[in-house]
Amino acid sequence: MDNKQLKIGLIGCGRISHRFMQGLAVVDGAELTAAWSRRAESVAEFIGKYGGKACSSLDELLQSDVDAVYIATLPDSHAHYSIAALRAGKHVLCEKPATVNLAQLDDVLALSKANYLLFMEGMKPPFYPLYQKLKAHLKTDPIGAAGYVRAGSAVADLSHDHPNFSYQLAGGAIMQIAPYEAFLALDWLGPMTNLQAMGRFSGKEVDMFSIFQTLHDNGYAQLYCGFDLHGKGDALISGPSGYITIHQNWWNPAKATINYLDGRIVELDEPYTAGGLNYELSHFCELIRNGQTESPIITHDLSRGMMGMLDEARKQMGLRFEGEV
Ligand SMILES: NC(=O)c1ccc[n+]([C@@H]2O[C@H](COP(=O)([O-])OP(=O)(O)OC[C@H]3O[C@@H](n4cnc5c(N)ncnc54)[C@H](OP(=O)(O)O)[C@@H]3O)[C@@H](O)[C@H]2O)c1
């Protein structure tokens, strides 16, 4: 595809979709042309604010001339809408977690391959300027091979009716927060070979606070996620010649400190702009233009690795969603 303006359709007009629009506003060569969500009022309000066509059904959106869709519903419906969009010939950028489980993800990825269409999970941290600057810095001033990652996020200020607490919508801390932690561990330590998880449900049907430690090809990770404690939200990455702190909130990385064994301290400071989803979106649009069906950064294998970690953690904690055995 040449440099023509990419037409983006949106499925789901909630909180993150507004942030997506903040990002889209600064991405060249892409525009919102249509949106659909469950409630007509949501769509009308959204389109009233950002422009484009308010679709009254999913079919109407998928039959329109959008090149790609951004799926920003809740995890229970990600696979369903990804499959519908890929069948309709649309490229897909889908919010994390990509699906409810690995079996669903494999169906989505198989369709992406069979139809030569791009599928990418919206995993934002690696596209932030700070994260990229950190990786570039370590190439010339390394800390050695990373062998340990400690990271987590716990937010205790969500209202009780937040979808993150819903069993039917495949909520819970593991599903909603741990995709980021899984990404960080896999990105620095390679594929996971073992996982030990513990968590509690606190009267809800989904996990409210979970911890897990993982063994990877290149080391260990200790990770946490939760909704009933106030966590710091930084990340530690250790190598033989130094350690890195990505300061809170590490999943929207803007500052990092590298402490070297020889006493040197390097501070990296790279604020992000436009809400931060603009970076992954630029990458997604570039892939479409280049005719690529898989991101070299958020690869299909990486999405499978993240999902595999969530599946295993849930299995050990006895958290199964509807239809899972
Ligand atoms: N990348 C990030 O930084 C980030 C941050 C937060 C969340 N997320 C992810 O983004 C996703 C959405 O989170 P959110 O906080 O934006 O949720 P939200 O505010 O509840 O928004 C979800 C939207 O999807 C619509 N929707 C829900 N289920 C649907 C269904 N089955 N069919 C059609 N429309 C449906 C809702 O519908 P109506 O309004 O039409 O009823 C709502 O507009 C989650 O997967 C979450 O993990 C990502």
Side-chain angles (χ1 to χ4, degrees):
M1 186 175 285
D2 51 24
N3 280 342
K4 85 164 178 114
Q5 186 84 345
L6 289 176
K7 296 181 173 153
I8 308 284
L10 235 89
I11 301 179
C13 299
R15 280 166 276 236
I16 195 63
S17 292
H18 288 279
R19 187 157 155 201
F20 178 85
M21 290 309 300
Q22 212 187 326
L24 182 59
V26 301
V27 170
D28 286 337
E31 62 181 334
L32 177 79
T33 57
W36 173 76
S37 195
R38 187 175 37 194
R39 289 180 306 120
E41 313 88 81
S42 286
V43 188
E45 193 187 319
F46 200 85
I47 289 296
K49 184 164 180 190
Y50 300 109
K53 179 179 166 61
C55 295
S56 56
S57 69
L58 178 66
D59 280 352
E60 189 184 351
L61 174 74
L62 294 181
Q63 282 165 18
S64 75
D65 62 352
V66 297
D67 300 294
V69 295
Y70 170 60
I71 299 176
T73 59
L74 296 160
D76 68 310
S77 59
H78 286 176
H80 177 76
Y81 293 133
S82 292
I83 286 171
L86 290 167
R87 281 192 179 135
K90 312 299 181 188
H91 303 287
V92 173
L93 174 62
C94 180
E95 263 307 334
K96 55 74 180 166
T99 54
V100 172
N101 54 41
L102 196 50
Q104 285 187 357
L105 180 59
D106 282 342
D107 288 345
V108 171
L109 298 181
L111 200 55
S112 152
K113 281 194 175 58
N115 289 4
Y116 303 102
L117 290 163
L118 172 62
F119 175 85
M120 181 177 136
E121 181 174 3
M123 179 48 57
K124 63 190 170 179
F127 302 102
Y128 275 52
L130 182 280
Y131 204 88
Q132 300 206 337
K133 188 169 184 183
L134 173 61
K135 289 273 177 109
H137 182 92
L138 293 174
K139 281 202 174 119
T140 54
D141 194 2
I143 60 165
Y148 176 71
V149 168
R150 179 198 40 71
S153 163
V155 288
D157 58 352
L158 298 180
S159 66
H160 289 290
D161 59 354
H162 196 284
N164 283 2
F165 299 135
S166 164
Y167 174 82
Q168 283 72 26
L169 300 174
I174 287 179
M175 293 301 282
Q176 282 294 343
I177 295 184
Y180 292 125
E181 275 61 50
F183 159 75
L184 196 72
L186 292 167
D187 193 41
W188 291 87
L189 302 174
M192 184 201 79
T193 52
N194 198 3
L195 176 147
Q196 298 170 327
M198 285 188 276
R200 55 186 159 73
F201 290 70
S202 300
K204 302 270 181 190
E205 294 169 291
V206 294
D207 64 310
M208 294 294 285
F209 194 88
S210 298
I211 57 173
F212 46 114
Q213 47 189 7
T214 48
L215 172 63
H216 297 255
D217 283 359
N218 303 315
Y220 300 96
Q222 291 183 307
L223 311 165
Y224 73 90
C225 51
F227 294 135
D228 57 2
L229 297 175
H230 184 43
K232 185 173 178 189
D234 61 348
L236 169 74
I237 298 155
S238 290
S241 310
Y243 64 86
I244 302 157
T245 307
I246 305 179
H247 297 281
Q248 66 267 32
N249 293 328
W250 84 259
W251 55 95
N252 286 312
K255 282 179 191 239
T257 305
I258 311 172
N259 290 73
Y260 287 92
L261 190 60
D262 62 13
R264 285 179 305 117
I265 298 175
V266 171
E267 304 278 4
L268 303 178
D269 193 346
E270 288 290 320
Y272 58 91
T273 57
L277 298 188
N278 38 314
Y279 307 111
E280 70 181 47
L281 179 58
S282 290
H283 175 72
F284 178 76
C285 291
E286 198 183 324
L287 295 176
I288 295 176
R289 289 203 181 86
N290 294 339
Q292 288 168 269
T293 56
E294 181 175 351
S295 163
I297 297 174
I298 304 299
T299 62
H300 290 179
D301 265 355
L302 179 59
S303 282
R304 292 191 82 255
M306 292 186 273
M307 189 53 64
M309 287 176 69
L310 309 192
D311 274 7
E312 181 58 26
R314 285 199 296 114
K315 185 174 154 200
Q316 291 187 15
M317 288 167 45
L319 176 51
R320 289 189 181 80
F321 293 113
E322 272 163 22
E324 291 185 323
V325 281

